[in-house]
């Protein structure tokens, strides 16, 4: 038998399709052998990890991550860099992210925006990464660059916004983007909230002197998301049913609209995030300014909505589950949540709270733990947090699976049941996390498991009981992506 | 490296989750190694099959097969025995079937019914097989036997009928079955057509002297299936949402009702069959008595319905795709379709046409071929014809997957593209099939591929270019089944 | 100007279409003149009633009234006769009822059943009345009598049951009834609850020793009504969309199903009753056996369902609002609610509580009062309690409207706002009612108005402040009915 | 008995609620007596009209009429003035219209816009008329004038647009309008088509050199109407469910969305027009430029959509049926349809075809005729063309009904069945119409009846067999309107 770089023996391996015990051999950054459980325990390998019957999953793929983006919506500045954000990722079992290369409204070129982002990311990442183009200006020039983006740059997805003054596209602009994207089989992600409506509602609230963080939710009622979602689906249908992805869906009404489109056979994909599974709008109603810690868009909804989102995750309405990691320090009046606290607004002003929360490290542990509570099967967990994102964004089968000779050796090994797990059932505290942000919205939540080891291209980069982050900045590589596997079916 | 019994090299392997090139090594009836494509080309193995870049899929699992059942609905007798039916199965790439052990209305015991069926199957099967209990009489005794069925006999599913005088259960009886089934986490399959209504409609048609085969469809309009489906779902909801499977769904209205239940999070599963994807009611309107060749229940619908069934297959409404192989000879006045031709009814009498069509051998080739037409992805093909049936009926991961050290070495190897495939694109003729039935309803249909080799537990049992059926009667084993993987999520 | 028998001046007249002040002149039992408000104040008339700006509405038409029917479901006996029931009707503003002529399962003839009911009603009624045939046995003879029923007897509607052992028809029998009814444009009323299911649920509850009145609701969950409603609509669609009326709808799920059919253009009509607007299942959970006072079928549902029924009334889903007056004494161990109290069942046994409640007198005041709370417009009130029942059951325009020269002079005059109304806002007590039943389920409810005068064919039969019931037994006449106005649109 | 100005005897009177024979007496512009049929045949009256058993209906109320509006969308100019348009109205049985007072985008005041329109209408009208404000600029000043509009000017409705560059309001502006309107219980009419999308689609079509009239339909696909309708309903829900009216609904998808809102109890009203009942998009595909005759917005749809609109009319989804009379000459290169024919565009350019068709005169005859084909009951006909518009726009009960002492004596008398009706079944030709437009899109259509006499406030203004238009310009009065009757229920 050959010699291997790494063997994982005695694990219960879970993929999107299967769950069963088998051993995994790794060589030259790739998975090279899947063999009966225990059969590789004595293999000729540089390193052998005994999973002790713990679960082994493909490395997490998180395709909705904001890092070091220039401030586009106000005064807030990302509290994480590519370095700190990806460090946090691997500590949470995530081996690949896709971040955003934001094109400003005043910038005609997408390629230029991409180049600028590369400068920030290159050499700084602990995990592998790809990039989406965030289109602020769908100029003819920009749209003419899609071929180059795809063929040369390995960028095969765009994100557009139906809200935020700095980014909001009108419906005709969206159609132009969809038409161009379809021509190159590029996937368009849509942030669906009706910007005109929320601006108006915000004015009304401010006119009534309602400024506290909790009014963020009031200014963005569910119907505003459902409406925009319906509109986005209509626009897709006008471009010969070109595939779109509705990002960070939070509202049951939007979910039902998406489901109806899927029922009719339209290629409508949807993403949800941990904040819609674990937070509610009550979390924005803390004492003083505390609620700002949970201010993100769309806002967390009510308890009943949470249940509907779980149901949608189980029945396949949601294709992927991402973090939408978009971090700002809380206790920072220069560039964090508290920038909106001024003399005139001593407890802040919801409309100027930087929108977004950190979550790249907690995503996998929190959702994995839900599987033991029967909320989600383990295969579904892998499907929505790793395999489907990889397929949807053209990273598959390199990422998101455990295929001999094909997949990168990106693996998470979880603690076995009954193992003394260093404090598991553990409680999340910000102190244990590896981002650079000064809080987590999930402070105090219990989780039932945590990645014990994270392996990226055959190398152990996270060893919870043996040094924590043991990977290095710069080991993470930029990954050129192909077109979405799903796109193939509809074009 | 170990020595192997069989190595399949150079194939493109497809499972429910993945599609990628890798090699498979087999030993002692099991898959024991998955390795990089080509890496086992020179392995130490008794036999090495070069797939020549053809697709390699898990052996087909067909969980809706009627063989050698005693006549319960009229004069027709199954034209296939366990021997001929399973011979046909392996020639079509199907390595496991689940047949029915029918309990007559006059028979109080399920165990007795099972024993009787074992006598017919044992030693006669070319492929592995399990058995469902077909419950004609949900007597207290019968329901008290469920524990033994599951724990001792490896039978974990029941089928019940909402139609057919000999088998129709009333809603209160169905509730009793569901309650008992839930207690033992046994899955209940439901044939959902409103029997009272179709009996009435049949009387009306006969009163109007309408006897031709095509009136079979008239007597069973779509609404009658949609109604019964709605009722079955309501009954399930009354038993704490106990999981049920709606078998052989043909109607878009029924499909939408199932989809609505799934959207709401209810554990409603559904099956469809090739006849609802490839036949229409026009096929029952042939010259003379020809239409009888396509008489099955529910009847094939119209073109638009076909499209809706395809859509339901793609979007996940249908969990499985089975053959509902239920064969009767056509040209046989004693026990086949023509038993209903008498002096009084020279062109037959639709209500006495034995209901059912053969299809065990054509199922996989016909649906596989649709994948190249873009109707179904290959992973979806494997999912609905192999993996999901295995999971749903407690055969997984022994069956339905390709897991090293775990899965039985049941594999189908398809012809590569461009290969001289002995007449492929081939045309189906009954002469090339291996059942004992004198016709196929798919006569003359083109398919684009066919299993080149079928491997059952490591042994080549079908070698299309090297002898055809090379397996042996009796090699197929009875498989005790566990409880459905899906059931675990809902109980 | 002519002389009149009666003039009503100074009223605000409300019909299904209009609301405006005008005077009404009556002669020879008919309305003969509508004239500007006050213009007939000095007319030459035997009697002039000054409505003092109170509302004037057409006499109520209550087409769902059970009186003096033979016991078919158990030991209970109607506590009202035609005499006492119709006395109660006029005191509540109801001038026309349609009762039931029940055909027993053992009785082959509908005409015989009708004749038997005539014997009970004739000469005993205070208000006008028609009769529906309640079909217990849809024998060929029975169905052959429909032409005679319609053409000779003036009976143009049937009621059938999907529950109750004594009456439950199977789906094939229902189809036979619908087919025959369609042939004669007779309207079929359907009591839609799944009898097999509720029988089974009742057994389960009894097996668990749950006998209290409140379990009546448990034994008849909403889904059982929704299911049967769906089935009834399917059956109608099979008979070329023959019109049906779903009686006493209580469940939002059933309501939505009906609404969907109406949206699609099917001729599905629906009725609801005050018990589904004013009672909830909590009312069946009183101390001891008290809950039995509200036991009727379907049972009252929860608060949210009530709101959905109000919404359905407002948006037109419900065509009519009837009382389903079906009275049994409460404190009566021989023939009332307490017949089910025995030594073995000291607090009763829900399955043997006679099903039904009294409500013929309270229907109009309670619903009229809701109009001042903004729950229902006054025109809608008249539409669903008088005009639509008259149209639906072939009584229009003789009944249900205020048309000069055409309509019978059946009128209700309500107290004006601000009038000292003898205790209004009054509280309902059984003592003030005129039925022979020993309780009302609405005891203690407030109403905001009550009929001040009731006029039947020109004669004051109820004068609340001048003698109460001033009409006479036997003044009420049997009314032969024509076919439903609505039927004309669909046939 | 008094003396009367006019008596109509021997008619079959139809209102929204009733249909029955009775006589009508008129004095001082009002209906003063409704009496048994024939009883007024010898009354003391200036004139007695024998309806000869013909139907008698309230005068038509058409609340969507464009006359003499300044060109806001392009070069087209209204081919009808208030004089010619209202002349056409009475010849078609319409006694009241509501036109539009258009506020330009550059005009801050609504009152000024109203004053300008009054100048055009005053003294020129053959029928009574009211005015809606068409809001092009919802400035603070404009919205502050709503109280004066309602209380002083008798204007209680607004129309706003989601399309047309000159008029399109953004969603935030719409919210401002709805909020202000709600405060004054003013009804907002919404033209719901997505302007951004249609502009984009138009560009695409032009880029492909597709200019013919039929591409007007292509540029405004149904989804664009359904989307905007969904959005408008969402906006209403955000303003506490303030009532809105969706005008000129043409698409089944939009209809279903409206229906869903009504099912949920939201106060969403809808209008459709004859063009969606009688034309299809094929009518825009005539030879040469002929199709331009049917170019209006939204465009007529397909045959199946027509059926859905009829169904919606029958089941109450549509509250009113208006003409949307918006006439342009066809054969006129200066200001008519042909303005878009230039050297560069010899067969025209669809995007510059003036949008709109004439139909004020044909509305009632065409729809009335449909009642005899069983498409619509006569009461429904009156309801949607006269009574409901009057109620919805605050004209009731002065208009839209036949109430003694209350309603204006506005009456249409139709030809009796069997009467020699001067060419009836007649064929519509433009020559027989009384507008000033050079064509009718309904040329050659058959109708089964036509108004024989039209009576406006007691005066015969149209006598088909006795002089045709016998009313006079200027007899028509401006009618101040109250708030909608329906609004009362929701505020
Ligand atoms: Zn976003
Ligand atoms: Zn984001
Ligand atoms: Zn079956
Ligand atoms: Zn079967
Ligand atoms: Zn009933
Ligand atoms: Zn009843
Ligand atoms: Zn418009
Ligand atoms: Zn218009």
């Amino acid at each position: 038998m050959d010699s291997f770089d790494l063997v994982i023996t005695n694990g219960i391996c879970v993929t999107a399709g299967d769950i069963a015990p088998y051993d995994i051999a790794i060589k030259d950054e790739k998975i090279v052998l899947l063999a009966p459980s225990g059969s590789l325990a004595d293999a000729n390998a540089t390193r052998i990890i005994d999973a002790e019957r713990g679960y082994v999953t493909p490395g997490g793929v998180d395709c909705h991550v904001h890092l070091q983006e220039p401030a586009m919506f106000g005064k807030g500045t990302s509290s994480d860099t590519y370095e700190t954000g990806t460090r946090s990722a691997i500590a949470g079992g995530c081996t690949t992210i896709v971040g955003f290369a934001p094109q400003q409204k005043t910038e005609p070129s997408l390629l230029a925006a991409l180049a600028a982002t590369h400068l920030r990311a290159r050499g700084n990442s602990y995990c592998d990464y790809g990039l989406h183009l965030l289109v602020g200006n769908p100029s003819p020039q920009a749209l003419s660059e899609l071929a180059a983006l795809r063929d040369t740059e390995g960028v095969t997805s765009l994100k557009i916004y139906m809200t935020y003054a700095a980014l909001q596209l009108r419906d005709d602009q969206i159609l132009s983007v969809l038409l161009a994207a379809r021509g190159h089989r590029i996937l368009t992600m849509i942030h669906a909230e009706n910007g005109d409506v929320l601006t108006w509602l915000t004015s009304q609230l401010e006119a009534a002197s309602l400024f506290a963080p909790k009014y963020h939710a009031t200014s963005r009622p569910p119907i505003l998301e459902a409406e925009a979602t319906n509109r986005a689906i209509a626009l897709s249908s006008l471009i010969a049913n070109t595939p779109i992805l509705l990002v960070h869906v939070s509202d049951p009404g939007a979910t039902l609209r998406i489901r109806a489109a899927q029922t009719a056979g339209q290629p409508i994909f949807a993403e949800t995030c941990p904040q819609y599974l674990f937070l509610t709008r009550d979390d924005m109603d803390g004492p003083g300014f505390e609620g700002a810690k949970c201010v993100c868009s769309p806002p967390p909804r009510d308890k009943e909505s949470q249940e509907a989102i779980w149901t949608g995750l189980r029945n396949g309405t949601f294709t992927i589950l991402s973090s939408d990691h978009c971090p700002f320090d809380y206790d920072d009046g220069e560039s964090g949540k508290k920038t909106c606290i001024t003399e005139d607004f001593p407890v802040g002003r919801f409309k100027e709270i930087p929108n977004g929360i950190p979550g790249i490290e907690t995503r996998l542990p929190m959702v994995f733990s839900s599987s033991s509570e029967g909320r989600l099967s383990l295969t579904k967990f892998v499907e929505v947090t790793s395999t489907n994102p990889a397929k949807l964004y053209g990273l598959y089968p390199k990422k998101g699976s455990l295929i001999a000779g094909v997949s990168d050796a990106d693996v998470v090994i979880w603690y076995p049941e009954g193992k003394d797990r260093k404090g598991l059932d553990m409680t999340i505290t910000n102190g244990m996390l590896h981002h650079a942000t000064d809080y987590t919205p999930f402070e105090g939540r219990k989780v039932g498991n945590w990645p014990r080891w994270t392996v990226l291209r055959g190398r152990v980069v996270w060893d919870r009981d043996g040094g924590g982050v043991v990977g290095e900045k710069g080991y993470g590589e930029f990954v050129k992506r192909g077109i979405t596997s799903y796109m193939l079916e509809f074009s």
Side-chain angles (χ1 to χ4, degrees), chain A residues 241-252:
Chain A
N241 275 329
T242 205
I244 57 172
L245 174 88
L246 280 310
V247 293
H248 47 52
V249 174
S250 70
D251 168 49

Side-chain angles (χ1 to χ4, degrees), chain A residues 191-193 217 220-226 229 246-256 258 270-277 279-280 284 296-310 318:
Chain A
H191 178 133
E193 291 185 295
R220 302 173 107 99
I223 187 78
L224 169 159
E225 182 184 348
T229 300
L246 280 310
V247 293
H248 47 52
V249 174
S250 70
D251 168 49
T255 306
L256 282 179
I258 289 161
E271 170 199 82
T272 192
C273 309
Q275 38 274 42
Y276 310 116
L277 298 169
L279 300 178
T280 67
M284 274 175 288
C296 57
S297 292
R301 310 290 184 185
D302 59 16
K303 205 68 201 156
E304 203 170 89
S305 299
Q306 264 192 7
E307 284 309 311
I309 299 299
W310 277 110
F318 295 110

Side-chain angles (χ1 to χ4, degrees), chain A residues 184-229:
Chain A
H184 298 91
R185 297 203 291 185
I186 278 177
L187 182 68
T188 305
M189 308 156 76
I190 302 185
H191 178 133
E193 291 185 295
N194 185 317
D196 292 353
V197 168
L198 74 87
T199 300
W200 188 88
L201 288 171
T202 299
S203 305
Q204 297 284 315
L205 289 164
E206 293 224 327
S209 295
L210 302 171
F211 300 108
K214 70 176 174 180
Y215 294 108
H216 176 71
T218 316
S219 75
R220 302 173 107 99
I223 187 78
L224 169 159
E225 182 184 348
E227 186 285 314
T229 300

Side-chain angles (χ1 to χ4, degrees), chain A residues 95-362:
Chain A
T95 50
T96 307
I97 65 162
V98 185
F100 294 95
Q103 176 207 29
Q104 307 270 5
K105 228 169 191 159
T106 52
E107 164 66 78
S109 165
L110 296 175
L111 289 168
L114 178 63
T117 300
H118 270 309
L119 288 182
R120 291 190 288 274
R122 195 172 297 137
N124 291 320
S125 187
Y126 281 83
C127 69
D128 286 356
Y129 63 97
L131 290 170
H132 311 286
L133 246 303
L134 192 164
V135 181
N137 177 6
S139 64
Q141 180 186 336
L143 298 181
S144 76
E145 295 170 348
L146 294 190
L149 275 178
R150 185 188 71 177
D151 298 335
T152 312
E153 302 294 334
V155 170
T156 54
S157 48
L158 311 174
K159 184 181 180 190
I160 59 175
Y161 287 79
M162 297 170 85
T163 185
Y164 295 131
L167 290 168
Q168 182 172 346
L169 302 189
R170 292 284 161 201
D171 295 350
D172 51 340
Q173 293 177 299
I174 295 175
L175 288 170
S176 291
V177 172
L178 294 181
L179 183 63
R182 178 169 194 80
H184 298 91
R185 297 203 291 185
I186 278 177
L187 182 68
T188 305
M189 308 156 76
I190 302 185
H191 178 133
E193 291 185 295
N194 185 317
D196 292 353
V197 168
L198 74 87
T199 300
W200 188 88
L201 288 171
T202 299
S203 305
Q204 297 284 315
L205 289 164
E206 293 224 327
S209 295
L210 302 171
F211 300 108
K214 70 176 174 180
Y215 294 108
H216 176 71
T218 316
S219 75
R220 302 173 107 99
I223 187 78
L224 169 159
E225 182 184 348
E227 186 285 314
T229 300
N230 182 71
R231 190 149 36 100
I233 293 169
L235 296 176
S236 154
S237 80
L238 283 167
I239 308 297
N241 275 329
T242 205
I244 57 172
L245 174 88
L246 280 310
V247 293
H248 47 52
V249 174
S250 70
D251 168 49
T255 306
L256 282 179
R257 189 62 199 78
I258 289 161
R259 181 76 169 172
Q262 293 168 341
T263 298
Q266 292 178 258
I268 305 300
F269 300 100
E271 170 199 82
T272 192
C273 309
Q275 38 274 42
Y276 310 116
L277 298 169
F278 297 106
L279 300 178
T280 67
R281 61 184 297 167
D282 292 345
D283 293 304
M284 274 175 288
D285 193 14
F289 189 62
E290 280 284 307
K293 289 181 177 173
C294 295
V295 164
C296 57
S297 292
R301 310 290 184 185
D302 59 16
K303 205 68 201 156
E304 203 170 89
S305 299
Q306 264 192 7
E307 284 309 311
I309 299 299
W310 277 110
T311 297
L313 209 47
R314 276 191 295 268
N315 69 21
T317 307
F318 295 110
T319 308
I320 62 172
L321 172 69
S322 312
S323 69
D324 197 3
H325 182 79
C326 187
F328 300 94
D329 279 328
Y330 172 68
D331 199 15
D332 175 333
E334 295 305 304
S335 61
K337 296 280 185 183
K338 290 192 174 167
T339 57
C340 71
I341 298 184
T342 63
E343 237 168 277
D344 290 347
F345 299 97
V347 291
R349 190 178 184 186
F350 75 83
K351 86 168 189 180
E352 297 192 344
I353 300 172
N355 269 217
I357 60 173
I360 199 168
E361 188 168 350
T362 45

